[in-house]
């Protein structure tokens, strides 16, 4: 398969370009090849899904894309910037500005209220608290949690927590949204709603959304699907053409 | 992010309380014990502070004020002959047995003041007149004596009589004196009468009190008096510190107090350090999230240090505050000893700062080791 697949329709510019990346975990005598010469692209204006069986390297691919994990060979370009050429601190700064995260366990800080949790990405960028909370409250209003902004995460249902997590990922208008198994902790219906919300609020012409999942029920939300197996991308095609084995 | 850090800390009620309690207990233990130690050391030098003379002359073997090796009275004349001496007077100090009207005994610290000048007189006469000390059998007794006699059912006032070594003593005035190490009441009388009260010996005088001539430094005068064979002179502050150091070196007091202070340090490190470590461990995933979301190490370090120092600050304040309340209460009844010079809270503050730094450092080590990639686990 080619990373520059000409059959790719309806997409704008390339947001993430992974070229010939290898990542090896030196697990003592038997190193694990988590990524083997992987090439992969995700485009702006699209929701790209990375799918595949457990242990195939999906999370590893996501980690190297957002620069939280160093690679052994190959190159990664995110919005035209080569991660390998930046210092750790530059990558961290780049991430705080351009990447929004949604985790499987939501990872909301339990001792902070919903609105405080959502304002963190803004505060990290130097916003003052009042402004950050105002913006956070506005976005929580949009996802239907306007009444619950002073609640603590524990007081919310799983689906509501996921909506908070989506708000936190979007509050600082990042250009890249990274989601690892966003529906794994949710039941089918709530997972469906979460993806609907994600699709509605996150997908924009200048934004790239990458979702890792092995939940075939949400494949229909994807614009593009890349399938992995044993550290390799084995299939990469528009969602409409994707046949789930 | 600092406000976020404080919110994370304060809202984790259980651990926050635990940290505060641990550090409060630790600083209370250290401040209180150190203050009692200082107070006890102060007690050892009570005679120096009660008499207050600028230069003290003893037998050459004497190391501190509570050690008495009697001198011949002729030594006063020898001391008077040293250039720079304005005046020199004899002093008698000794522990004598007083017998009360009900037949019970009480050891007292008898002080015999130079009859002509009353040099070394009690700083504070609470009732009566010092001049009445010239009346027959006259003595002045301090507040400790009044309390001790009272506990035996005898109310002491002007006119009360008792016996010192079987000789009649009559109270002519009451005074307030600094409490002595062994808690024996101070009983003041004249030098000549003190010799009559005490058991006759070949040498009777305890020491010579000296005033330097104007413009002569007490230390230099003490040095030149010390050149006289068989005599040793101390400047007042030197005698004070020599006495305290003597007790530090020659008794188990510093070790027993030091042990408790050390226990305070260990308890502090154990409770506070461990709780803080658990606090960090609990939040490790979230700190990793912050790292992934773009919080740099300096920000995380500032957060962790702020958290540890804010509990340290509160714990220190509560500990020292509680000790001050304790001190305020005990100073009224003068027991146990209590003295909190500024060095004590300063020392405790340093220890608390070290504990905070230590706790923050082990917490930070965990965070530094953290790969931001763990957030996807
Ligand atoms: N930190 C690590 N140290 C060592 N080996 C690792 C590490 N992280 C991942 N691996 C290994 O790399 C391979 C790929 O792991 P990865 O987490 O990317 O899989 P995944 O596709 O996300 O699986 P899942 O669907 O179960 O989350 C696995 O064999 C895993 O054991
Ligand atoms: Mg995974």
């Amino acid at each position: 398969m080619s990373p520059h697949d000409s059959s790719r329709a309806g997409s704008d510019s390339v947001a993430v370009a992974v070229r010939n990346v290898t990542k090896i975990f030196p697990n003592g005598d038997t190193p694990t090849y988590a990524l083997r010469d992987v090439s992969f692209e995700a485009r702006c204006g699209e929701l790209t899904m990375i799918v595949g069986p457990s242990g195939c390297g999906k999370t590893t691919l996501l980690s190297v894309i957002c620069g939280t994990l160093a690679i052994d060979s190959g190159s990664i370009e995110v919005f035209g910037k080569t991660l390998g050429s930046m210092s750790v601190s530059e990558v961290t700064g780049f991430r705080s500005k351009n990447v929004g995260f949604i985790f499987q366990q939501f990872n909301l800080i339990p001792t902070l209220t919903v609105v405080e949790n959502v304002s963190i990405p803004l505060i990290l960028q130097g916003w003052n608290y009042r402004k950050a909370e105002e913006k956070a409250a506005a976005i929580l209003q949009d996802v239907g949690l306007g009444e619950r902004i002073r609640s603590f995460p524990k007081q919310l249902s799983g689906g509501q927590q996921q909506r908070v997590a989506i708000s936190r990922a979007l509050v600082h208008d990042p250009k890249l949204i990274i989601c690892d198994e966003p529906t794994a902790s949710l039941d089918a219906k709530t997972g469906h709603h979460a993806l609907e919300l994600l699709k509605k609020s996150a997908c924009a012409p200048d934004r790239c959304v990458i979702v890792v999942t092995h939940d075939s029920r949400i494949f229909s939300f994807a614009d593009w699907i890349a399938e992995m197996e044993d550290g390799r991308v084995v299939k990469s095609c528009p969602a409409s053409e994707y046949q789930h084995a | 992010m600092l406000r976020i850090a404080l919110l994370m800390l304060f809202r984790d009620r259980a651990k926050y309380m635990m940290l505060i309690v641990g550090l409060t207990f630790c600083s209370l233990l250290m401040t209180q014990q150190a203050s009692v130690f200082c107070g006890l050391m102060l007690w050892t030098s009570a005679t120096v502070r009660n008499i207050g003379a600028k230069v003290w002359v003893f037998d050459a073997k004497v190391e501190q004020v509570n050690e008495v090796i009697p001198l011949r009275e002729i030594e006063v004349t020898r001391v008077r002959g040293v250039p720079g001496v304005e005046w020199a007077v004899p002093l008698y100090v000794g522990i004598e047995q007083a017998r009360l009207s009900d037949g019970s005994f009480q050891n007292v610290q008898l002080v015999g003041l130079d009859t002509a000048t009353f040099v070394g007189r009690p700083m504070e006469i609470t009732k009566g007149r010092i001049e009445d000390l010239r009346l027959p059998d006259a003595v002045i007794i301090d507040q400790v004596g009044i309390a001790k006699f009272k506990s035996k059912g005898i109310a002491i006032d002007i006119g009360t009589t008792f016996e010192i070594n079987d000789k009649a003593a009559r109270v002519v005035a009451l005074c307030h004196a600094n409490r002595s190490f062994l808690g024996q009441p101070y009983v003041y009388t004249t030098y000549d009468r003190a010799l009559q009260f005490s058991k006759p010996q070949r040498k009777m005088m305890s020491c010579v009190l000296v005033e330097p001539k104007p413009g002569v430094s007490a230390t230099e005068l003490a040095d030149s008096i010390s050149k006289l064979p068989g005599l040793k002179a101390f400047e007042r502050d030197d005698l004070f510190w020599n006495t305290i150091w003597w007790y530090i070196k020659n008794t188990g007091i510093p070790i027993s107090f030091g042990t408790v202070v050390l226990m305070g340090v260990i308890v502090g490190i154990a409770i506070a350090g461990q709780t803080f470590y658990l606090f960090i461990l609990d939040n490790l995933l979230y700190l990793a999230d912050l790292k992934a979301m773009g919080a740099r190490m300096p920000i995380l370090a500032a957060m962790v240090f702020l958290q540890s120092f804010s509990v340290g600050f509160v714990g220190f304040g509560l500990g020292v505050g509680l000790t001050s309340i304790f001190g305020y209460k005990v100073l009224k009844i003068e027991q146990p000893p209590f003295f909190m010079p500024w060095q004590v809270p300063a020392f405790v503050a340093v220890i608390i700062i070290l504990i905070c730094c230590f706790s923050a450092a082990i917490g930070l080590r965990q965070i530094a080791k953290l790969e931001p990639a763990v957030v996807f686990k």
Side-chain angles (χ1 to χ4, degrees), chain A residues 19-233:
Chain A
R19 295 200 187 92
N20 308 102
V21 164
T22 299
K23 173 71 195 175
I24 306 166
F25 288 109
N27 288 335
D29 298 338
T30 51
T32 310
Y33 284 76
L35 299 176
R36 301 170 196 257
D37 194 27
V38 167
S39 294
F40 165 84
E41 262 182 14
R43 294 174 186 246
C44 285
E46 285 188 353
L47 194 155
T48 306
M49 277 193 192
I50 303 173
V51 304
S54 183
C56 67
K58 306 185 295 290
T59 298
T60 308
L61 180 57
L62 215 49
S63 305
V64 299
I65 287 173
C66 63
T68 56
L69 198 62
I71 53 175
D72 295 308
S73 68
S75 77
I76 296 167
E77 237 177 62
V78 181
F79 298 109
K81 296 240 166 138
T82 309
L83 295 186
S85 67
M86 291 195 253
S87 71
V88 174
S89 148
E90 279 170 338
V91 173
T92 311
F94 182 77
R95 227 174 18 238
S96 88
K97 202 158 165 278
N98 297 303
V99 185
F101 291 92
I102 299 170
F103 306 106
Q104 176 180 342
Q105 303 295 339
F106 321 131
N107 296 11
L108 301 171
I109 299 178
T111 45
L112 298 182
T113 62
V114 163
V115 69
E116 285 160 356
N117 264 292
V118 174
S119 27
I120 285 178
L122 296 174
I123 295 170
L124 275 175
Q125 284 185 41
W127 285 47
N128 78 36
Y129 289 90
R130 209 169 40 81
K131 284 241 173 73
E133 288 201 356
E134 271 168 19
K135 175 132 193 233
I139 197 158
L140 282 163
Q141 186 84 41
D142 291 347
V143 301
L145 288 172
E147 306 288 303
R148 307 301 303 269
I149 59 169
R150 296 288 161 201
S151 303
F152 287 92
K154 271 204 205 97
Q155 300 165 328
L156 302 182
S157 70
Q160 288 172 324
Q161 289 187 40
Q162 189 61 296
R163 277 190 270 160
V164 176
I166 292 172
S167 309
R168 182 175 67 177
L170 296 176
V171 72
H172 55 309
D173 285 317
K175 290 195 279 183
L176 176 64
I177 310 278
I178 296 260
C179 319
D180 195 19
E181 312 275 9
T183 58
S185 310
L186 302 175
D187 61 62
K189 197 163 141 249
T190 332
H192 201 84
H193 285 313
L195 255 288
E196 251 170 21
L197 176 67
L198 190 65
K199 183 101 186 173
K200 184 174 84 144
S201 51
C203 289
D206 58 347
R207 195 182 267 161
C208 169
V209 182
I210 302 179
V211 177
V212 157
T213 187
H214 52 231
D215 181 357
S216 56
R217 292 169 306 196
I218 61 167
F219 286 0
S220 55
F221 288 99
D223 296 306
W224 193 272
I225 292 181
E227 187 180 322
M228 289 186 74
E229 218 180 280
D230 195 21
R232 290 190 181 84
V233 173

Side-chain angles (χ1 to χ4, degrees), chain B residues 103-121:
Chain B
S104 65
F105 288 97
Q106 168 68 54
N107 276 347
V108 297
Q109 179 81 54
L110 186 66
V111 178
L113 305 172
D114 177 54
T115 316
T117 59
F118 294 145
V119 167
R121 67 177 70 180

